[in-house]
Amino acid sequence: MKCLALIMGLLGLGSPLWADCRPVNITEFREATQKSPNRVVFFASWCSSCASHITADRIHDTIFVASADTRPKADKVLQVYLKDRASAATCFFDKDESIAQAFGVRNLPVEKYIRDLRQP
């Protein structure tokens, strides 16, 4: 992990994650997605099987939600992960895992739909 962060720094890939993936909680997510695509994909930068769910052909009809990750440098790893797959995607960082809980997400990757969102 430290090696990857060092390589990213040397390559100039250290711009803030939040330019690509905004940290939100469930309330902010509900407000931001009222007129958004219906499909929601939950993923994590550490999840090797998640990559197949994040592709450039899906960025216009999918909202991507990154799992909370408290490891050091997780934001930079996630930024590179998104950049390599779908840099123009609509992405939210589930900062307190409230979005995953509201959708009933237990494993990653998982694809859900806005209609699956549990009401408060």
Side-chain angles (χ1 to χ4, degrees):
M1 183 79 150
K2 289 181 182 177
C3 184
L4 179 60
L6 176 62
I7 292 169
M8 289 173 10
L10 293 173
L11 294 175
L13 300 174
S15 61
L17 161 71
W18 317 129
D20 300 315
C21 201
R22 184 168 55 122
V24 296
N25 61 29
I26 187 59
T27 303
E28 296 162 322
F29 179 82
R30 287 180 194 275
E31 292 170 5
T33 58
Q34 288 179 351
K35 296 182 181 177
S36 294
N38 192 32
R39 182 176 25 215
V40 181
V41 171
F42 289 84
F43 74 98
S45 60
W46 47 261
C47 170
S48 60
S49 61
C50 291
S52 64
H53 290 267
I54 303 175
T55 58
D57 62 325
R58 301 180 88 183
I59 64 172
H60 301 293
D61 65 351
T62 305
I63 298 166
F64 297 97
V65 178
S67 173
D69 189 345
T70 58
R71 293 179 293 174
K73 310 282 185 190
D75 57 341
K76 291 186 182 349
V77 172
L78 183 57
Q79 179 185 7
V80 170
Y81 186 87
L82 287 173
K83 182 177 187 254
D84 290 344
R85 287 164 181 81
S87 60
T90 300
C91 181
F92 296 101
F93 182 74
D94 192 359
K95 65 183 180 184
D96 60 3
E97 298 182 12
S98 60
I99 302 169
Q101 289 174 1
F103 277 94
V105 172
R106 290 187 172 80
N107 299 310
L108 297 174
V110 68
E111 190 170 299
K112 297 280 189 169
Y113 294 88
I114 292 293
R115 67 177 178 263
D116 297 331
L117 183 59
R118 296 177 183 155
Q119 296 303 314

